[in-house]
Amino acid sequence: MPSISICLFPAAGYGTRFLPVTKAMPKEMLPVVNKPLIQYGVEEAARAGISDMAFVTGRGKRALEDHFDISYELERQVAGSERESLLEDIRRLVRDCRFSYTRQIEARGLGHAILTGETLIGDQAFAVLLADDFCVTEDAGVLAQLAALYDEHRCSIVAIEEVPPAETSSYGIIDGEEIGPGLYRVFDMVEKPEPGEAPGNLAVIGRYILTPDIFDILRDTAPGRNNEIQITDALGTQAQEGKVLAWRFRGRRFDCGNVAGFMAANNFIWTNL
Ligand code: UTP
């Protein structure tokens, strides 16, 4: 029985960098080749042994719920044809996983979205996956790497990667000390620091394991950068009061939250199919 059995998918953001395509369509449904970002995310969670998929959605995001459901008309249409195989992966997910949804009424930041998910998570450690960080790995997926570390250390763990020092203002940056190859003890975290103010260049990407005390910390976290409740600030508090680790994950990340990263991911998958 894996110790992490539920993954939260915050998907209530507006995706303004992709307008106009995100005007009526969730950013998470953008395809890398022929599969939506959110499906890659759910597949990564399933490969980490997770079977409960919990979504924080918002207005205009109903396509997400429809995607993880059965479409009888479509099933009838493709039954017996060679295109049926294109539905194999999504059918398996719909059959093997449980899906639950709640809505974030106002987009008040990633920390607020995670707090909104408390009703689906309860009092257990959980994974968080941001589908617009698209990760490609050779062996275990990023969440599987984090879940294995959680089994050993039993604390919150974030996935990190080195970014060019000039780009720190696009990320949450950790201040920490390497305690084993690729593994860091986190002292503090700063959301989107300017290069001169950053404690380093190790950036948090959209994969986390969080212990449930994070919800109480989030409740007490004041709005920070952009007047949003930031998970980075809550994790900084958790790191100071308890224990947070960071893992330089094995693999490659494409930032599909912007058009250039999204195009690069599509090129990469298309040429490596
Ligand atoms: P982003 O910072 O990428 O914001 O959120 P966004 O709104 O999706 O996109 P832009 O900046 O307008 O183009 C990171 C992740 O956090 C979720 C988003 O859905 C995305 O997965 N999020 C963010 C929420 O669920 N709620 C929020 O209030 C903010």
Side-chain angles (χ1 to χ4, degrees), residues 52-82:
D52 277 321
M53 310 296 173
F55 292 76
V56 179
T57 67
R59 283 179 296 284
K61 301 275 186 170
R62 278 175 55 181
L64 292 172
E65 292 174 51
D66 290 339
H67 189 71
F68 295 104
D69 198 349
I70 290 176
S71 164
Y72 286 105
E73 298 82 350
L74 190 61
E75 293 286 334
R76 251 215 350 239
Q77 184 69 28
V78 298
S81 80
E82 59 186 33

Side-chain angles (χ1 to χ4, degrees), residues 67-118:
H67 189 71
F68 295 104
D69 198 349
I70 290 176
S71 164
Y72 286 105
E73 298 82 350
L74 190 61
E75 293 286 334
R76 251 215 350 239
Q77 184 69 28
V78 298
S81 80
E82 59 186 33
R83 296 198 185 152
E84 207 172 356
S85 63
L86 296 173
L87 287 177
E88 259 170 31
D89 292 348
I90 183 68
R91 272 186 188 159
R92 195 174 321 114
L93 292 176
V94 171
R95 189 191 63 211
D96 295 344
C97 303
R98 297 194 300 177
F99 297 87
S100 59
Y101 302 87
T102 191
R103 276 194 183 206
Q104 187 188 20
I105 306 299
E106 271 180 290
R108 291 172 55 198
L110 176 57
H112 181 260
I114 291 173
L115 184 55
T116 303
E118 183 182 19

Side-chain angles (χ1 to χ4, degrees), residues 9-18 22 27-28 56-57 61 104 106-114 129-132 192 228 255 257-258:
F9 297 87
Y14 297 132
T16 52
R17 282 168 288 174
F18 268 96
T22 45
K27 173 170 78 171
E28 297 75 14
V56 179
T57 67
K61 301 275 186 170
Q104 187 188 20
E106 271 180 290
R108 291 172 55 198
L110 176 57
H112 181 260
I114 291 173
L129 189 149
L130 305 184
D132 51 1
K192 300 191 170 64
E228 293 182 336
D255 181 0
N258 70 64

Side-chain angles (χ1 to χ4, degrees), residues 195-208:
E197 290 152 21
N201 66 335
L202 293 172
V204 179
I205 67 138
R207 302 289 185 279
Y208 312 71

Side-chain angles (χ1 to χ4, degrees), residues 8 108-118 126 128 210-224 228-238 241:
L8 190 68
R108 291 172 55 198
L110 176 57
H112 181 260
I114 291 173
L115 184 55
T116 303
E118 183 182 19
F126 60 104
V128 176
L210 300 176
T211 52
D213 54 310
I214 200 74
F215 293 127
D216 279 337
I217 300 176
L218 278 167
R219 256 184 285 281
D220 289 339
T221 300
E228 293 182 336
I229 297 176
Q230 300 289 352
I231 187 64
T232 309
D233 295 339
L235 279 164
T237 305
Q238 200 180 37
E241 292 175 354

